Amino acid sequence: MSLARPTRTRKDPKPRKGGRKKTATAKKAPRKATSTGHRTDLLEAMLRIRRFEERCVELYSATKIRGFVHLYIGEEAVAVGVNEALTPEDAVVATYREHGHALARGITAEAVMAEMYGRTTGCSGGRGGSMHLFDATRRFYGGNAIVAGGLPLAAGLALADRMRGQDHVTCCFFGDGAFAEGEFHETANLAALWKLPLLLVCENNLYAMGTALERHEAQTDLAMRAASYGMVAWAVDGMDVEAVEQAARRAAEAIRAGAGPHFLELRTYRFRAHSMYDPDRYRDKAEVERWKHRDPIIRLLDRMREDGDPVDETLAGIERRVAAEVDHAVEAAERAPEEPVEHLLHHVTSAPAEVD
């Protein structure tokens, strides 16, 4: 497991007068001690996402859930590794492919599945569906159906925390396709200019919907492009959950110390098509199979076996717990009520003003 060397601009901007002193984030932060228990937690978190998403495929095929559904299968190490570096007080802004982000953040499978069904017990009251999971109690400020749409929101959250003097980090997930949108560049510029406590996490899965990275970006080294805005940026193996956690923890610690925004390019891959509607004809099947050999779950299991961890017993127990959790989520969603038609305008229009 290794991290690429951070990409930095030639000259760091001087700290603002009266601001917090900038720390030397280029130095390698102490790595969190790896234990069997912690690796087991990482494994369970990734398997929860994988099994949840696999059940969503079945439910979609059975027309139990409808609309656009974007699966996170293959990218589990990103959500799990990054969330390990965050605290409950930090904020998270996600993309439309956010089931994994929500589950890794601690939103229950039951609340997410109910939202997929459009039921009132869903985390967004059944009004958001697959692309708009939301839970303010966990500072999870939603998926966003607009490419790069969450970036300005994340900058605002980070600015609000800084203005209140709160030592929090705002983490924003987005895909490589966001680099083609103005919101990324506007957000990166202001975040660096104002030294916002913002962690920008690019899930570079090599495709913006059906368009390969090299077909929409002249410069494909995304970390280098982010560094041009004056922030620390580096690329990480997004298929290695421990590498992701190490990088995210290092970045979050530097941000809390006042070093300003950091950027992580997590190089990953989705094993499924862009969405359930996508025939996936733009990728070579051999390419997909090559990436499957780097499955983040299998890689962690192999590492645990190499280190002599009791993998088989551990895995069997996790699979039983996760299966029961997902089964319960589906059963609860099936029983949950739909919102009555009379509530159609709730949260849409205000109550009519009373006139004396």
Side-chain angles (χ1 to χ4, degrees):
M1 178 180 66
S2 62
L3 298 178
R5 185 174 181 176
T7 303
R8 299 180 65 96
T9 51
R10 183 172 297 175
K11 185 177 180 181
D12 291 328
K14 295 180 180 179
R16 288 172 176 260
K17 190 174 182 179
R20 290 181 293 185
K21 185 178 180 181
K22 184 164 183 171
T23 57
T25 53
K27 294 181 180 179
K28 195 169 184 178
R31 175 174 171 168
K32 183 176 179 181
T34 300
S35 67
T36 300
H38 183 60
R39 280 178 166 173
T40 299
D41 291 341
L42 296 175
L43 178 62
E44 184 161 348
M46 289 196 292
L47 277 168
R48 177 178 295 107
I49 296 170
R50 179 70 58 90
R51 300 301 178 241
F52 183 94
E53 296 290 65
E54 289 171 347
R55 181 63 66 87
C56 285
V57 173
E58 298 174 11
L59 295 169
Y60 188 91
S61 300
T63 68
K64 294 286 187 178
I65 55 178
R66 304 305 302 271
F68 284 100
V69 175
H70 305 84
L71 301 172
Y72 206 64
I73 295 174
E75 299 185 19
E76 295 88 351
V78 173
V80 172
V82 171
N83 273 279
E84 282 294 318
L86 302 176
T87 71
E89 291 75 30
D90 294 331
V92 175
V93 179
T95 68
Y96 48 75
R97 194 184 306 280
E98 91 281 31
H99 308 163
H101 303 137
L103 293 170
R105 187 62 180 166
I107 302 176
T108 66
E110 181 178 342
V112 177
M113 187 63 76
E115 189 61 38
M116 302 285 287
Y117 269 70
R119 303 302 170 92
T120 57
T121 54
C123 58
S124 298
R127 287 175 169 249
S130 171
M131 294 191 287
H132 300 98
L133 305 178
F134 190 96
D135 189 342
T137 64
R138 296 185 183 275
R139 298 205 77 198
F140 185 81
Y141 296 113
N144 197 307
I146 306 301
V147 174
L151 281 155
L153 302 178
L157 289 165
L159 177 61
D161 281 340
R162 199 190 69 177
M163 292 176 71
R164 295 188 187 108
Q166 296 173 327
D167 189 22
H168 301 160
V169 173
T170 295
C171 173
C172 185
F173 293 95
F174 53 95
D176 53 282
F179 270 78
E181 302 291 336
E183 290 95 327
F184 169 77
H185 302 281
E186 294 160 357
T187 299
N189 179 60
L190 287 179
L193 181 66
W194 295 340
K195 294 178 65 65
L196 297 182
L198 183 61
L199 175 58
L200 297 171
V201 178
C202 178
E203 298 179 305
N204 181 7
N205 61 24
L206 305 181
Y207 291 89
M209 295 183 67
T211 304
L213 178 64
E214 62 270 15
R215 294 179 68 87
H216 69 85
E217 293 296 329
Q219 173 53 261
T220 59
D221 187 335
L222 303 184
M224 184 173 72
R225 292 187 64 192
S228 70
Y229 285 100
M231 67 181 75
V232 180
W234 71 95
V236 183
D237 182 358
M239 306 300 275
D240 184 336
V241 67
E242 291 182 298
V244 172
E245 179 187 356
Q246 181 185 1
R249 192 175 299 281
R250 170 184 173 185
E253 289 173 356
I255 292 169
R256 293 187 209 284
H262 278 51
F263 176 96
L264 297 179
E265 179 192 347
L266 302 185
R267 295 173 177 174
T268 185
Y269 199 82
R270 52 177 168 80
F271 295 164
R272 303 280 305 197
H274 168 70
S275 73
M276 290 296 294
Y277 283 107
D278 180 10
D280 201 13
R281 295 173 181 168
Y282 47 83
R283 301 191 299 185
D284 186 77
K285 291 182 178 179
E287 175 187 296
V288 178
E289 290 304 313
R290 285 196 301 272
W291 277 91
K292 285 183 177 180
H293 287 299
R294 300 181 59 199
D295 187 316
I297 295 174
I298 301 301
R299 289 181 73 181
L300 181 59
L301 283 169
D302 288 345
R303 189 173 296 153
M304 293 173 71
R305 289 189 177 97
E306 290 171 3
D307 292 345
D309 296 339
V311 174
D312 293 334
E313 295 179 10
T314 299
L315 181 60
I318 291 174
E319 290 282 19
R320 286 193 297 270
R321 288 194 299 274
V322 169
E325 188 177 335
V326 175
D327 286 344
H328 171 76
V330 174
E331 293 166 4
E334 295 275 2
R335 295 193 306 267
E338 296 180 345
E339 192 169 18
V341 175
E342 298 78 45
H343 293 178
L344 181 64
L345 297 181
H346 283 194
H347 313 299
V348 176
T349 61
S350 60
E354 293 185 6
V355 180
D356 294 333

